Amino acid sequence: MNANKILSVVRREFVERVHSKAFVITTILVPVLLLIMAVAPMLLMGQSDHTARVAVVDGTSGPLAQQVVKVLRAQKIGTGATAKPRYEITLVPAQGKADSVREQLVDETGFSRASHKGKYDGVLELTADTLSSGKLTYYGSNVSSIKAMAMLQSELSKAFASVRLTQAGISLDTVGKAMRPANLSARRVSEGKLTGQSGSSAFAVAYGMGFLLYIAIISFGARTMTSVIEEKTSRVMEVLVSSLTPFQMLMGKVLGVGSAGLLQMAIWGVSALLISTQASHLAGLFGISQSTLAMLSMLSISGSMVVVFLLYFILGFLLFGALYAAVGSMCNSTQETQQYATVVTVLILIGFLSMFGTIANPTGTLANVMSWIPFFSPFVMPVRWALTSVSSVNLAGSLVLLVIGMWCCVWLAARIYHTGILMFGKKPSWRELWRWIRVS
């Protein structure tokens, strides 16, 4: 039976790849990396969740220092009953002797908390012209932290604005109400229902899916092409042709490599799903505070998202895998494949780059058009599904066109494969390829 012969090739290709060390290592390594990527930001943020001891050197003669102290003392780490002060402020008067006081305090700054308790994390110097010029200096051990410095500068700007507006005759209550910042929280809605995803979570999922698909198709497609070249140059093809048709060899090889890739993608997808749904347990396991966990939007991956991703991966790989196999059958070495493989790679790259336009506007013209083109829909449609509501008609139509496009590419590749696997010597020109397609 033709199906049995194809399955024999599929089994051989699948077992050969699954038993390889590279497959086992990468299959295990990616979930480990996903876990690290999920936990590391929480751990790093948790390291900065401690109260900073700051000495404020007051070289002014006005209310600026008092307002700076008030604003900084109001800042908290976390919310509710578990919140703690972000800054522990010590105000040191230094009118007329700011330089000497600052130098003395700097000598007590930047030491390890464990071995030098009571020392300072930073020294903030306010001079007589700080309010008018807006210039002040902070000496500290954490100045390399962009986030910490941006937060400190933001709070100091509020203090400066409060003092200046008060001096202009505007009350502090009015100032506080006017400067109260907006707190925008973005949540994704799909078909009239909240999905539970934040904006950053939806972006991370969409980008991760597109990038993973791009890497998988490029890597497994290249392996298919290399495998065909190796069997061709070793003359194994001449033996296989006696019992298998070129179409059976092509489909068996593409399906075998693709099934190994699908198994790997499934393991990675399930791992990502488990990690995304166990955020609170991971936080407890690694001793991460709930306030830190709340500051991060953990990825939210649904079962339907995994199914759509795998569907497009299977069909997309069959399409591009067949083209890569055809390229391998035309050439005698990997060096000769560059001219033809570049065409396939460019199509993949266009689909990958289209993903960024889709992320920016998942309902725009680019996203809609690319969703219907078989070469690009494997990259665009899963991203659209992750970011916005896609109708069942749209999804079904895209899949049908992808199946048709995939079958056309397999048919075209099989005709090239039929002649190419037994051709040696000079690589064919584009005109010769067209002749192969017509006469096969």
Side-chain angles (χ1 to χ4, degrees):
M1 296 291 292
N2 291 339
N4 291 335
K5 291 182 178 180
I6 294 176
L7 287 175
S8 298
V9 180
V10 170
R11 190 181 303 109
R12 173 183 174 276
E13 296 291 336
F14 178 81
V15 172
E16 181 179 338
R17 273 147 188 82
V18 169
H19 285 180
S20 67
K21 291 182 180 179
F23 182 90
V24 175
I25 292 173
T26 53
T27 301
I28 296 174
L29 188 60
V30 169
V32 172
L33 291 176
L34 288 174
L35 180 61
I36 293 174
M37 290 172 63
V39 174
M42 293 190 288
L43 290 176
L44 292 174
M45 289 184 69
Q47 289 181 353
S48 62
D49 284 355
H50 66 266
T51 302
R53 300 190 71 248
V54 178
V56 177
V57 179
D58 181 15
T60 69
S61 56
L64 178 61
Q66 294 294 335
Q67 186 62 26
V68 166
V69 171
K70 179 181 177 181
V71 168
L72 294 182
R73 283 178 176 169
Q75 300 308 303
K76 302 293 183 180
I77 299 174
T79 57
T82 60
K84 56 183 179 180
R86 185 171 294 278
Y87 303 101
E88 182 181 325
I89 305 297
T90 301
L91 182 61
V92 183
Q95 287 83 2
K97 51 180 181 177
D99 290 345
S100 60
V101 172
R102 180 200 69 222
E103 291 176 1
Q104 180 181 353
L105 292 172
V106 167
D107 289 340
E108 302 177 20
T109 301
F111 294 93
S112 169
R113 283 172 166 254
S115 57
H116 295 76
K117 294 182 179 180
K119 300 296 184 180
Y120 295 105
D121 296 302
V123 177
L124 183 66
E125 182 182 13
L126 306 176
T127 61
D129 65 342
T130 291
L131 184 61
S132 58
S133 66
K135 296 180 180 179
L136 69 169
T137 306
Y138 175 78
Y139 306 86
S141 58
N142 60 337
V143 294
S144 60
S145 172
I146 297 176
K147 178 184 175 182
M149 293 301 98
M151 189 179 299
L152 179 60
Q153 180 171 318
S154 175
E155 298 307 321
L156 292 173
S157 297
K158 293 178 184 178
F160 278 40
S162 296
V163 174
R164 289 167 180 161
L165 291 172
T166 301
Q167 290 179 348
I170 302 174
S171 69
L172 287 178
D173 289 340
T174 304
V175 171
K177 293 178 181 178
M179 296 181 62
R180 187 176 300 162
N183 186 4
L184 178 64
S185 178
R187 290 292 180 266
R188 182 180 171 230
V189 177
S190 177
E191 297 181 353
K193 296 181 180 179
L194 285 171
T195 63
Q197 277 186 310
S198 66
S200 57
S201 174
F203 169 83
V205 170
Y207 178 80
M209 289 171 61
F211 184 76
L212 192 60
L213 187 63
Y214 169 74
I215 294 298
I217 290 179
I218 285 286
S219 60
F220 282 103
R223 291 179 196 178
T224 303
M225 182 177 66
T226 303
S227 177
V228 172
I229 294 173
E230 290 175 351
E231 292 183 355
K232 179 180 177 180
T233 53
S234 65
R235 303 295 177 123
V236 172
M237 287 294 187
E238 297 178 8
V239 177
L240 294 176
V241 166
S242 62
S243 57
L244 297 169
T245 67
F247 178 80
Q248 291 170 346
M249 286 190 291
L250 173 68
M251 286 304 298
K253 184 169 289 294
V254 173
L255 288 173
V257 177
S259 58
L262 178 61
L263 174 62
Q264 198 169 60
M265 293 296 105
I267 293 173
W268 294 348
V270 170
S271 300
L273 183 62
L274 290 175
I275 292 172
S276 70
T277 56
Q278 301 298 317
S280 58
H281 295 291
L282 289 174
L285 181 63
F286 289 93
I288 299 167
S289 66
Q290 290 299 316
S291 60
T292 301
L293 177 62
M295 294 173 66
L296 292 169
S297 297
M298 293 296 291
L299 303 184
S300 178
I301 303 174
S302 64
S304 62
M305 198 178 297
V306 174
V307 171
V308 169
F309 172 78
L310 292 178
L311 272 176
Y312 277 93
F313 169 78
I314 294 169
L315 296 174
F317 179 80
L318 288 175
L319 188 153
F320 288 108
L323 295 180
Y324 271 119
V327 171
S329 69
M330 293 185 289
C331 306
N332 302 308
S333 66
T334 54
Q335 290 76 16
E336 292 183 4
T337 62
Q338 294 179 359
Q339 177 184 355
Y340 303 108
T342 299
V343 177
V344 183
T345 304
V346 167
L347 290 174
I348 297 173
L349 188 59
I350 292 174
F352 178 66
L353 294 178
S354 299
M355 180 191 72
F356 292 97
T358 304
I359 291 175
N361 187 6
T363 59
T365 303
L366 176 66
N368 279 299
V369 171
M370 290 296 191
S371 297
W372 296 94
I373 302 176
F375 291 113
F376 312 129
S377 60
F379 301 96
V380 175
M381 186 56 83
V383 172
R384 286 189 64 198
W385 185 270
L387 294 177
T388 189
S389 177
V390 178
S391 68
S392 56
V393 174
N394 199 333
L395 179 65
S398 174
L399 285 170
V400 168
L401 285 180
L402 180 55
V403 170
I404 294 173
M406 179 270 295
W407 187 256
C408 290
C409 287
V410 170
W411 176 85
L412 182 69
R415 297 181 77 85
I416 296 174
Y417 198 87
H418 179 271
T419 305
I421 55 173
L422 298 177
M423 296 292 290
F424 295 91
K426 181 182 177 182
K427 63 181 179 180
S429 63
W430 292 105
R431 179 174 296 181
E432 288 175 315
L433 281 180
W434 175 242
R435 182 165 55 84
W436 289 4
I437 294 171
R438 285 190 296 109
V439 302
S440 294

